[in-house]
């Protein structure tokens, strides 16, 4: 059942799906492919489009998998409800790919890629999830021609602007990381924390990441780690923010797997407020306290020597990653969200 925004039924939808779980690798199929992009990729693309003034068009392809051309010979039992009048044992031969087949994603993407090449364009559509795509580029005329060609080749409908929400989870990622550790045995305190998270999300339906034009495509990052911040096992929490073109594209907050005797035992890169960690990254001399991170340290040292990565020191009060690793005051929290590009589209201007 497809529902409208008010909850009433919009339409009924049915789809014929093959029992792909009965297929055998090497017999019924040899390779699969899932054309799914990570949201990090979507955010990088959005930042590039904002900085280069690219048009950003999103489309939905109706019955995407049914467009795929099969290389294999595939037979299936007649669908339920189909009256079989011939002799017993009749099967259906598929002429096109079908939902449920292991090779359907590969077949669909192959057909889509072939259409892109035939149009003379480059592979600048980005598949987000099976039947949604984003088309962008720096040539307005080429984009318009490509849009018309794809619309004639496949049954498509325009979704206009990006319908995907790009950022509210960053605002509470530290708290979500903490409570998720107690999913199987939550206490009243944990449930209270979850309630506060949900209350925050409900009160901020218009918050998300604003992608602005900064006139560059530089890659910058902020990384931080608390020390023995967990009161239960005294493990530390690491966090980072990565920017491309001045816009936030990826972040993470994660508890470390081992207990550190000091916050300097885990080398960090990019903007860092830990002078000891910076010294370890630059110093080729190893000692007992850093042997377990020797591979990571040498990898970072190579990038530093090649000037691919710089390692500037930043004062703690300007360390944006603090909100991912420790509890901060409300003023610092709100100030950090502003610097990260979090905006409320419903806020008065």
């Amino acid at each position: 059942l497809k529902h409208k925004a008010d909850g009433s039924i919009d339409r009924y939808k049915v789809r014929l799906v093959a029992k792909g779980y009965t297929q055998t690798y090497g017999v019924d199929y040899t390779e699969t492919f899932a054309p799914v992009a990570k949201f990090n990729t979507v955010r990088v693309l959005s930042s590039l489009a904002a900085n280069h003034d690219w048009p950003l068009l999103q489309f939905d392809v109706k019955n995407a998998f049914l467009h795929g051309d099969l290389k294999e010979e595939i037979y299936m039992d007649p669908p339920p409800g189909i009256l079989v009048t011939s002799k017993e044992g009749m099967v259906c031969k598929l002429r096109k790919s079908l939902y449920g087949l292991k090779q359907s994603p590969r077949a669909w993407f192959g057909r889509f890629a072939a259409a892109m090449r035939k149009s003379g364009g480059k592979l600048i559509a980005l598949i987000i999830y099976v039947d949604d795509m984003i088309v962008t580029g720096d040539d307005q005329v080429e984009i318009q021609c490509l849009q018309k060609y794809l619309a004639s080749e496949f049954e498509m409908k325009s979704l206009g602007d990006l319908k995907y929400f790009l950022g509210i989870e960053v605002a509470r990622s530290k708290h979500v990381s903490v409570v998720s550790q107690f999913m199987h045995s939550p206490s009243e305190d944990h449930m209270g924390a979850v309630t506060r998270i949900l209350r925050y999300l409900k009160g901020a339906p218009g918050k998300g990441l604003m992608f602005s034009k900064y006139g560059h495509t530089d890659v910058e990052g902020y990384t931080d780690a608390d020390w023995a911040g967990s009161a239960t096992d005294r493990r530390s929490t690491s966090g980072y923010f990565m920017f491309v073109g001045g816009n936030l594209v990826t972040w993470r907050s994660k508890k470390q797997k081992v207990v550190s005797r000091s916050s300097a035992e885990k080398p960090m890169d990019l903007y860092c407020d830990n002078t000891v960690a910076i010294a370890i990254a630059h110093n080729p001399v190893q000692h007992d306290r850093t042997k377990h991170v020797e591979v990571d340290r040498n990898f970072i040292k190579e990038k530093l020597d090649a000037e691919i990565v710089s390692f500037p020191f930043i004062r703690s009060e300007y360390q944006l990653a603090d909100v991912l690793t420790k509890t901060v005051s409300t003023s610092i929290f709100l100030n950090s969200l502003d610097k990260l590009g979090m905006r409320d589209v419903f806020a008065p201007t």
Side-chain angles (χ1 to χ4, degrees):
L1 297 178
K2 293 289 185 178
H3 295 87
K4 298 180 180 178
D6 59 4
S8 61
I9 296 177
D10 180 25
R11 61 190 174 95
Y12 294 89
K13 183 176 181 179
V14 65
R15 175 176 287 159
L16 178 61
V17 180
K19 297 179 180 178
Y21 58 84
T22 64
Q23 292 181 275
T24 304
Y25 175 76
V27 178
D28 303 301
Y29 67 98
T30 56
E31 59 178 343
T32 60
F33 174 69
V36 180
K38 294 182 179 180
F39 275 108
N40 297 344
T41 307
V42 179
R43 286 187 283 262
V44 171
L45 182 69
S46 300
S47 180
L48 293 176
N51 278 288
H52 292 292
D53 293 322
W54 291 346
L56 204 58
L57 308 175
Q58 186 179 6
F59 299 94
D60 175 69
V61 182
K62 295 185 177 180
N63 300 322
F65 280 177
L66 303 185
H67 290 289
D69 296 320
L70 288 175
K71 297 180 180 179
E72 304 88 351
E73 250 188 26
I74 303 292
Y75 297 89
M76 62 177 285
D77 292 330
I82 299 296
L83 182 61
V84 179
T85 57
S86 62
K87 61 181 180 179
E88 188 177 350
M90 185 187 77
V91 295
C92 300
K93 180 180 179 180
L94 297 183
R95 296 181 177 177
K96 293 279 188 178
S97 61
L98 195 65
Y99 286 89
L101 291 177
K102 299 287 188 182
Q103 57 266 59
S104 286
R106 174 185 53 77
W108 149 237
F109 191 76
R111 171 76 188 283
F112 170 72
M116 291 288 289
R117 288 192 293 268
K118 185 178 179 181
S119 70
K122 301 175 183 178
L123 277 176
I124 56 175
L126 168 68
I127 298 298
I128 293 185
Y129 180 74
V130 179
D131 53 2
D132 286 359
M133 67 173 68
I134 296 177
V135 179
T136 186
D138 57 359
D139 191 322
Q140 298 274 358
V141 176
E142 185 180 86
I143 291 297
Q144 292 177 357
C145 293
L146 180 61
Q147 176 183 351
K148 293 179 180 179
Y149 177 77
L150 291 176
S152 63
E153 186 75 7
F154 309 106
E155 189 177 359
M156 297 167 42
K157 63 178 179 179
S158 175
L159 298 177
D161 297 331
L162 282 178
K163 67 178 182 180
Y164 292 96
F165 204 63
L166 296 179
I168 188 63
E169 66 267 28
V170 70
R172 287 297 181 190
S173 56
K174 161 64 176 174
H175 299 274
V176 173
S177 175
V178 172
V179 297
S180 64
Q181 300 170 26
F182 302 93
M183 290 177 57
H184 300 293
S185 57
S187 67
E188 291 187 7
D189 291 338
H190 299 136
M191 296 306 296
V194 171
T195 301
R196 289 194 294 274
I197 293 172
L198 294 177
R199 188 184 300 122
Y200 174 84
L201 295 176
K202 185 178 180 180
K207 277 193 175 180
L209 291 178
M210 178 67 71
F211 288 82
S212 305
K213 182 177 181 179
Y214 293 96
H216 66 83
T217 55
D218 298 343
V219 179
E220 299 174 318
Y222 295 80
T223 182
D224 190 31
D226 68 352
W227 179 50
S230 175
T232 56
D233 54 18
R234 288 307 175 189
R235 293 184 182 180
S236 303
T237 299
S238 302
Y240 66 82
F241 287 120
M242 294 298 299
F243 293 78
V244 173
N247 297 301
L248 179 63
V249 295
T250 183
W251 58 88
R252 192 176 189 187
S253 176
K254 183 181 180 181
K255 182 191 285 190
Q256 297 176 9
K257 295 181 179 180
V258 297
V259 178
S260 298
R261 295 184 63 86
S262 78
S263 61
E265 290 190 11
K266 183 180 182 300
M268 293 169 270
D269 56 2
L270 304 174
Y271 288 105
C272 182
D273 58 3
N274 189 315
T275 55
V276 179
I278 294 177
I280 291 176
H282 284 282
N283 186 4
V285 179
Q286 295 294 314
H287 50 79
D288 291 340
R289 295 180 64 191
T290 60
K291 282 185 177 178
H292 64 290
V293 293
E294 185 174 354
V295 174
D296 291 337
R297 194 208 64 80
N298 278 296
F299 174 80
I300 295 174
K301 185 67 167 60
E302 286 183 359
K303 303 307 176 185
L304 286 169
D305 293 341
E307 297 184 351
I308 297 175
V309 177
S310 62
F311 208 157
F313 172 78
I314 187 171
R315 295 174 61 180
S316 296
E317 54 264 38
Y318 302 117
Q319 177 54 272
L320 296 180
D322 271 358
V323 297
L324 296 179
T325 61
K326 55 181 70 72
T327 302
V328 297
S329 66
T330 301
S331 60
I332 293 178
F333 175 73
L334 295 177
N335 184 52
S336 296
L337 291 188
D338 182 67
K339 292 180 179 178
L340 292 171
M342 289 285 291
R343 301 291 184 270
D344 191 339
V345 295
F346 298 137
T349 56

